[in-house]
Amino acid sequence: MTEQLRMMAVHAHPDDESSKGAATMAKYVSEGVDVLVATCTGGERGSILNPKLQGDPYIEEHIHEVRAKEMDEARDILGVKQEWLGYVDSGLPEGDPLPPLPEGCFALQDVDEAAGTLVKLIREFKPHVITTYDENGGYPHPDHIMTHKISMVAFEAAGDPSRYPEAGEPWQPLKLYYNQGFNRPRTQALHDALLERGMESPYGEWLERWHTMGRERTLTTYVPCGDFFEIRDKALIAHATQIDPDGGWFKVPLDLQREVWPTEEYELAKSLVGTSLPEDDLFAGIRNN
């Protein structure tokens, strides 16, 4: 393939792009790949998770603008392009029974209509590879599950001239992956390595309740990107309302991560090109076609 490779990462909220596959994106950007993050919502209903910023009246009143500025900073750190799909955050319902989702939110949109917005972006950007979430959303946030649904429809529809004719000239992406960076083998390996070195592990409780998080996923693709873990962390810290820089996300030294688990993992969900598993490149089967 002689043309520039292109990758689109479809995410539910600002900050998801920096916690899921960020080092992979930074690696590909460094290799000249054109990378676009499609952010479905503005993250308006996300809780302020950084205790240092909780109770700040300006942030609470202007959360949409604050999170947009955080996204701008993270985008620049990663070196990616970024587009908003324009939907409103659904929030994470809590309680028993769960309360209804807010009227007009992303998760309550018609799937086919919302997929049309993504189809338009796919046809404009023309990605060869798309990454998104699995059917469980990675975790069962309604916006993550909706992101999965529209990504699957859009992958199939973008290349079909009979569907969404108003959305531009057809373009068929060649591969679709699910982000699987939060997987048990990685978590167990880092947990064991920390304990072996006499260090505290933030993963003990995760591993104890792993069986409650859904079935084990099939990891098909391991992208070596340890050299970009620092960029990943800087991008994540840029989402200051969402991430405590002194929190568990950053408890594992980068050198240990690079030594024990220097990859980010994906599950190949759809491929229109031949490839052999396991892979170490999201563009396997595309580069040499």
Side-chain angles (χ1 to χ4, degrees), residues 179-253:
N179 297 291
Q180 296 296 353
F182 300 113
N183 58 76
R184 183 165 191 141
R186 172 187 180 273
T187 306
Q188 188 72 60
L190 292 175
H191 176 76
D192 292 346
L194 287 165
L195 296 185
E196 287 167 5
R197 290 160 174 78
M199 301 169 69
E200 184 179 348
S201 169
Y203 302 126
E205 290 186 10
W206 286 20
L207 290 166
E208 287 176 7
R209 55 189 173 87
W210 200 279
H211 66 281
T212 67
M213 300 182 191
R215 70 178 180 85
E216 294 290 333
R217 307 298 303 197
T218 300
L219 305 179
T220 64
T221 310
Y222 299 74
V223 178
C225 52
D227 290 344
F228 299 89
F229 285 172
E230 187 172 6
I231 293 176
R232 171 203 66 192
D233 287 359
K234 285 180 179 177
L236 193 53
I237 289 170
H239 292 283
T241 58
Q242 299 296 294
I243 300 297
D244 180 359
D246 300 318
W249 280 97
F250 309 105
K251 292 297 187 186
V252 185

Side-chain angles (χ1 to χ4, degrees), residues 63-279:
I63 188 64
H64 186 279
E65 294 89 342
V66 169
R67 298 206 67 188
K69 288 179 180 177
E70 292 174 347
M71 183 70 244
D72 288 345
E73 184 177 349
R75 178 198 66 214
D76 291 345
I77 291 168
L78 294 171
V80 301
K81 298 174 180 176
Q82 188 259 342
E83 295 284 350
W84 302 96
L85 266 61
Y87 295 101
V88 177
D89 189 348
S90 305
L92 182 60
E94 296 180 296
D96 187 12
L98 292 174
L101 292 170
E103 184 178 350
C105 71
F106 178 48
L108 294 181
Q109 300 301 308
D110 179 85
V111 172
D112 286 331
E113 287 186 16
T117 308
L118 184 56
V119 166
K120 185 175 187 295
L121 191 57
I122 290 171
R123 290 178 177 174
E124 290 172 352
F125 183 66
K126 299 178 172 57
H128 303 98
V129 167
I130 293 177
T131 65
T132 189
Y133 312 138
D134 62 36
E135 66 276 8
N136 300 312
Y139 80 106
H141 189 297
D143 286 339
H144 285 236
I145 294 170
M146 185 64 165
T147 298
H148 163 80
K149 290 177 179 178
I150 71 166
S151 297
M152 303 309 287
V153 172
F155 182 88
E156 297 294 339
D160 185 344
S162 71
R163 301 183 69 183
Y164 306 100
E166 72 289 351
E169 290 295 316
W171 173 265
Q172 180 57 61
L174 298 174
K175 299 175 85 175
L176 182 140
Y177 288 91
Y178 299 150
N179 297 291
Q180 296 296 353
F182 300 113
N183 58 76
R184 183 165 191 141
R186 172 187 180 273
T187 306
Q188 188 72 60
L190 292 175
H191 176 76
D192 292 346
L194 287 165
L195 296 185
E196 287 167 5
R197 290 160 174 78
M199 301 169 69
E200 184 179 348
S201 169
Y203 302 126
E205 290 186 10
W206 286 20
L207 290 166
E208 287 176 7
R209 55 189 173 87
W210 200 279
H211 66 281
T212 67
M213 300 182 191
R215 70 178 180 85
E216 294 290 333
R217 307 298 303 197
T218 300
L219 305 179
T220 64
T221 310
Y222 299 74
V223 178
C225 52
D227 290 344
F228 299 89
F229 285 172
E230 187 172 6
I231 293 176
R232 171 203 66 192
D233 287 359
K234 285 180 179 177
L236 193 53
I237 289 170
H239 292 283
T241 58
Q242 299 296 294
I243 300 297
D244 180 359
D246 300 318
W249 280 97
F250 309 105
K251 292 297 187 186
V252 185
L254 291 179
D255 286 346
L256 186 149
Q257 293 184 48
R258 293 186 183 106
E259 174 190 342
V260 174
W261 203 273
T263 62
E264 289 182 337
E265 292 73 55
Y266 298 84
E267 178 182 353
L268 180 60
K270 290 182 178 291
S271 181
L272 303 181
V273 296
T275 186
S276 6
L277 303 179
E279 305 169 318

Side-chain angles (χ1 to χ4, degrees), residues 19-83:
S19 62
K20 303 166 189 66
T24 297
M25 292 193 294
K27 165 194 164 71
Y28 283 130
V29 167
S30 78
E31 295 174 355
V33 175
D34 199 2
V35 180
L36 173 67
V37 172
T39 312
C40 294
T41 80
E44 303 89 345
R45 291 191 170 95
S47 301
I48 298 171
L49 300 177
N50 185 345
K52 301 175 182 66
L53 299 180
Q54 289 170 352
D56 184 309
Y58 178 85
I59 292 175
E60 290 177 353
E61 186 176 347
H62 300 91
I63 188 64
H64 186 279
E65 294 89 342
V66 169
R67 298 206 67 188
K69 288 179 180 177
E70 292 174 347
M71 183 70 244
D72 288 345
E73 184 177 349
R75 178 198 66 214
D76 291 345
I77 291 168
L78 294 171
V80 301
K81 298 174 180 176
Q82 188 259 342
E83 295 284 350

